[in-house]
Amino acid sequence: MRTSIATVCLSGTLEEKLRAAARAGFNGVEIFEQDLVVSPDSPETIAELARELGISLDLYQPFRDLEGVEEAQFEKNLKRAESKFQLMARLGIDTMLLCSNVGTATIADDGVVVEQLRRLGDLADRYRVNIAYEALAWGRFVSEYDYAWDLVKAADHPRIGTCLDSFHILSRNTDLARITEIPGDKIFFLQLADAPALTMDVLSWSRHHRVFPGEGAWDLSDFLTRIAATGYSGPVSLEVFNDSFRQGDTNRTAVDGLRSLRWLEASIADAPAAGTAGEAQPEVPSSALDLQPLPEVEEPRGINYVELSTNDLGALTRQMHQLGFQFIGYHRSKPHVQLWLRGKARIIVSEVTEEAGTTSAPVNGTFLRGIGFEVTDSQSAMERAALLLAEEVPRDQTHNDEVLRGVFAPDGSEVFFHQFNQTTPAWIKEFGHDHDEQVSHIDHVNLAQPSNHYDEAVLFYTSLLALHAQSSQDVPSPSGLVRSQVMSSTDGSVRMPLNVSPQPNAEAVAGRGIGSVVEAYPEHVAVACEDIFEAAATALSRGLDFLPVPQNYYEDLASRFDLDPEFLQQLQENHVLYDRDEHGEFLHFYTSTIGSVFFEMIERRGDYLGFGAPDAPVRLAAQHRKNAQHSA
Ligand code: MG
Ligand code: MG
């Protein structure tokens, strides 16, 4: 599949945008007029740079407000178009995007519009330029793709085709059935964008909230499948107007964009007619778009381990002991690395000191360094991750250690692909020991996300690990709303709430723990146990610093649920919070925070699948009070 990206998606100068697109691996770019106008480089220099970088210049855009106007105005518009054709010749671009008229159209007469398109086609033919006519969702008279296609068809001019843009089509909820009526060679250009489901005016939605495929609410696989069925063979281009992408790191956004296209491409290469159930299945002529699959990955089967990094080993391991974890041993070849177990909940603690010689890791704080996911084929998961442009974690490994490979997630944490099998993982022997009688496992891991990499994170976990994004929730905290988005596997064996912190946050995420969001919004590991009161009693007897829960909470609990007073008292005495839904009950307590990490001990009763959402604001407020005490 030929990939392209509109320069408007990226931050930086035109030169930086071209370099970032080429470096990520795009085949081409769309030149957005504004980027050229403000560039000090001549069109010839830009064309030369693109040649050097090995990328094509696929489209010049946008040309606005041409059709549906009086003759005198139309002649002026043609002159304007001609000057752009001359410019395009200097750039070596052969296709121009023509947006349906939003500003100056006064004539809603198809005959007039068709005739004007034809005359533009005649002029374009002299410059060997193709015109891709696109219905903007807010066009004055033409706002639907099938109407634009009807006009193009009627114009019947070899230089006039249509441009399909998923945003303009999906935002209007237009019936997609007519896409396959369009011959592939009359689709002169294809633009893709996803978007979150928002209720707002479509122009603002488009200009500020577009995201890359897989980061929003739409089914782009279905959309592209329909396009493929037409026989379209041109570039598949990203046109995404997004406020945070335009402020973000240029190279990073380009990688995020190409990852979205590779993932999308593979999603239909693997399942040729997905998403169109109920209708005649359009044939996907695999030759036209040349769709490449990716090594397949199944949903992860569980969390094998969580790795915490700390420079406060005493405090962290004391807390783990209080929670019933057992120290198992030191890694046989890495003396600064310890294993702690509570049943199947495995925590690797790596002490970060100057002596440990861990060069790249930050030496401050306690933070969540990585997660080992159990996958059915660790090798293909790693190959897939590499093709999705994830950066591999460098790892020092002695020859007889189990080979573990992983990549960096957008928040800087490490994701390791661990071969799933039913038995105790072999790597545990590297710590000299492997048994624990307790029934316990890691229930979920709560990760803080910098807001500017939030969309990237959703795509990352979707495309690399086949996790699913649940609907997001806003949780009130004393310092602002925390956006919470759960990524999970279908059976719930992997659950990861991603939390977008309200605090502004710099780009300093590459080194975890360095003044990044993890300082502002702590992350936590939730451990499931069989008996929350037994766990609380052990923790109490070992002196755990519980996160305090206010009396008001228990009074409110009594009013929300019909609870036995003795049970309520038991909850309160043990600092245990409580939630219930139609499926079951949820009992949990929190520890105080060490560095950027705290623990949650939970007991699920019945089929309760949530995370105690009503209790999250209580926790956030308690943590806020603790922080305030510390800094006072
Ligand atoms: Mg467009
Ligand atoms: Mg939790």
Side-chain angles (χ1 to χ4, degrees):
M1 187 173 96
R2 272 178 64 205
T3 57
S4 191
I5 184 168
T7 54
V8 72
C9 303
L10 303 169
S11 64
T13 64
L14 183 54
E15 184 186 334
E16 287 164 347
K17 293 170 191 233
L18 296 186
R19 289 188 186 282
R23 189 172 153 191
F26 281 96
N27 302 112
V29 298
E30 302 174 27
I31 297 286
F32 208 73
E33 183 165 77
Q34 188 63 28
D35 285 324
L36 181 72
V37 169
V38 302
S39 172
D41 298 323
S42 70
E44 290 79 4
T45 305
I46 295 299
E48 180 55 32
L49 176 63
R51 259 193 303 279
E52 271 169 34
L53 294 170
I55 51 171
S56 53
L57 302 180
D58 296 327
L59 183 83
Y60 188 81
Q61 75 133 318
F63 192 82
R64 299 186 189 280
D65 297 338
L66 174 100
E67 81 290 13
V69 296
E70 300 292 342
E71 179 60 23
Q73 182 61 47
F74 184 68
E75 280 167 21
K76 282 185 202 157
N77 293 349
L78 276 185
K79 282 219 169 60
R80 188 158 56 89
E82 186 163 20
S83 73
K84 297 303 171 192
F85 296 159
Q86 288 158 354
L87 171 63
M88 288 167 63
R90 297 171 65 196
L91 286 162
I93 300 180
D94 65 5
T95 305
M96 183 173 86
L97 181 79
L98 170 65
C99 302
S100 63
N101 197 324
V102 298
T104 62
T106 51
I107 306 171
D109 179 326
D110 291 0
V112 170
V113 172
V114 165
E115 184 53 30
Q116 292 181 341
L117 286 176
R118 241 180 236 149
R119 287 167 64 192
L120 178 69
D122 287 345
L123 178 63
D125 191 52
R126 283 200 258 140
Y127 292 88
R128 296 191 180 81
V129 164
N130 296 316
I131 305 293
Y133 183 51
E134 174 188 66
L136 297 190
W138 51 91
R140 175 81 176 85
F141 299 121
V142 178
S143 56
E144 302 279 6
Y145 82 91
D146 51 347
Y147 188 17
W149 161 238
D150 288 337
L151 294 166
V152 165
K153 192 176 171 189
D156 190 25
H157 193 291
R159 291 291 179 185
I160 303 288
T162 189
C163 169
L164 297 182
D165 178 327
S166 64
F167 184 89
H168 295 294
I169 299 171
L170 298 176
S171 65
R172 292 187 62 100
N173 237 333
T174 314
D175 183 0
L176 304 178
R178 290 196 62 205
I179 288 177
T180 42
E181 278 179 29
I182 310 173
D185 60 4
K186 288 306 273 184
I187 301 173
F188 281 6
F189 209 72
L190 173 65
Q191 296 174 320
L192 296 183
D194 201 343
L198 297 172
T199 310
M200 65 191 304
D201 77 280
V202 71
L203 180 59
S204 307
W205 192 14
S206 173
R207 292 276 165 84
H208 304 285
H209 300 283
R210 292 189 184 205
V211 285
F212 293 133
E215 297 177 346
W218 291 337
D219 186 352
L220 273 300
S221 296
D222 172 59
F223 186 81
L224 186 57
T225 300
R226 292 167 189 273
I227 303 289
T230 67
Y232 175 74
S233 61
V236 176
S237 188
L238 296 167
E239 189 195 28
V240 169
F241 307 90
N242 180 293
D243 295 352
S244 62
F245 293 179
R246 286 167 94 159
Q247 298 168 23
D249 177 87
T250 315
N251 287 308
R252 189 170 174 154
T253 307
V255 164
D256 185 26
L258 191 61
R259 177 178 297 147
S260 78
L261 285 182
R262 290 214 172 140
W263 166 76
L264 185 66
E265 174 183 14
S267 77
I268 67 170
D270 295 340
T276 47
E279 294 169 34
Q281 302 279 305
E283 279 284 304
V284 179
S286 52
S287 55
L289 278 176
D290 188 23
L291 299 166
Q292 299 300 317
L294 287 169
E296 277 191 62
V297 66
E298 290 174 23
E299 293 180 15
R301 309 293 282 270
I303 290 177
N304 191 277
Y305 66 86
V306 168
E307 181 170 357
L308 304 176
S309 235
T310 186
N311 66 348
D312 194 357
L313 190 66
L316 181 65
T317 55
R318 189 180 318 119
Q319 196 174 69
M320 289 172 57
H321 170 71
Q322 289 162 339
L323 289 171
F325 278 86
Q326 292 180 19
F327 170 69
I328 300 303
Y330 296 94
H331 190 270
R332 62 187 172 201
S333 59
K334 297 171 201 148
H336 59 286
V337 179
Q338 309 182 354
L339 172 64
W340 288 72
L341 295 185
R342 191 186 202 283
K344 291 191 169 107
R346 308 178 190 108
I347 307 254
I348 293 173
V349 177
S350 52
E351 187 181 17
V352 184
T353 60
E354 304 293 349
E355 304 83 67
T358 43
T359 47
S360 57
V363 290
N364 59 327
T366 296
F367 56 96
L368 195 150
R369 178 165 188 145
I371 300 176
F373 291 92
E374 292 181 348
V375 296
T376 44
D377 185 341
S378 58
Q379 194 169 334
S380 74
M382 189 62 211
E383 283 165 20
R384 179 182 171 96
L387 288 167
L388 288 168
L389 311 166
E391 187 192 337
E392 184 163 0
V393 177
R395 214 167 146 80
D396 49 331
Q397 202 135 2
T398 57
H399 68 282
N400 54 353
D401 289 350
E402 188 180 350
V403 178
L404 263 191
R405 294 175 72 193
V407 295
F408 288 106
D411 64 1
S413 65
E414 300 170 358
V415 165
F416 278 91
F417 303 110
H418 197 280
Q419 184 66 44
F420 171 74
N421 66 35
Q422 301 289 353
T423 59
T424 304
W427 64 262
I428 286 190
K429 297 188 185 70
E430 291 161 23
F431 292 86
H433 198 107
D434 72 329
H435 77 277
D436 188 339
E437 309 304 302
Q438 296 186 84
V439 178
S440 194
H441 64 273
I442 292 173
D443 181 89
H444 63 273
V445 181
N446 212 305
L447 296 174
Q449 300 296 310
S451 62
N452 50 342
H453 298 312
Y454 164 78
D455 299 305
E456 185 187 345
V458 169
L459 175 65
F460 177 89
Y461 292 111
T462 304
S463 62
L464 271 79
L465 280 164
L467 294 176
H468 306 282
Q470 314 299 318
S471 59
S472 73
Q473 277 188 315
D474 288 334
V475 182
S477 88
S479 46
L481 280 181
V482 176
R483 182 171 170 195
S484 180
Q485 162 87 65
V486 176
M487 301 296 303
S488 66
S489 58
T490 306
D491 67 0
S493 55
V494 170
R495 291 183 265 220
M496 282 196 309
L498 306 179
N499 292 294
V500 179
S501 152
Q503 282 87 351
N505 167 58
E507 289 276 337
V509 188
R512 293 231 92 192
I514 308 178
S516 70
V517 67
V518 291
E519 295 295 338
Y521 188 91
E523 304 184 298
H524 78 265
V525 181
V527 178
C529 67
E530 274 196 313
D531 184 340
I532 194 78
F533 294 114
E534 191 194 315
T538 303
L540 213 51
S541 72
R542 294 178 180 179
L544 178 75
D545 185 17
F546 287 85
L547 189 73
V549 184
Q551 168 73 18
N552 291 343
Y553 169 78
Y554 291 102
E555 288 177 18
D556 179 58
L557 207 56
S559 75
R560 283 194 289 138
F561 302 112
D562 185 21
L563 297 177
D564 179 61
E566 266 176 50
F567 180 65
L568 192 65
Q569 193 184 345
Q570 192 184 17
L571 291 175
Q572 186 162 9
E573 281 170 5
N574 289 283
H575 312 274
V576 172
L577 299 95
Y578 179 84
D579 191 33
R580 186 165 78 197
D581 64 15
E582 65 273 32
H583 307 293
E585 296 167 292
F586 188 68
L587 295 89
H588 59 148
F589 66 82
Y590 300 106
T591 68
S592 60
T593 304
I594 298 172
S596 307
V597 176
F598 65 94
F599 291 93
E600 178 182 11
M601 188 64 70
I602 73 172
E603 181 191 336
R604 292 181 185 274
R605 294 181 179 175
D607 291 321
Y608 182 96
L609 292 178
F611 301 89
D615 300 337
V618 181
R619 164 174 69 79
L620 288 162
Q623 287 172 332
H624 181 80
R625 286 195 305 277
K626 277 230 164 198
N627 277 345
Q629 285 164 13
H630 278 230
S631 44

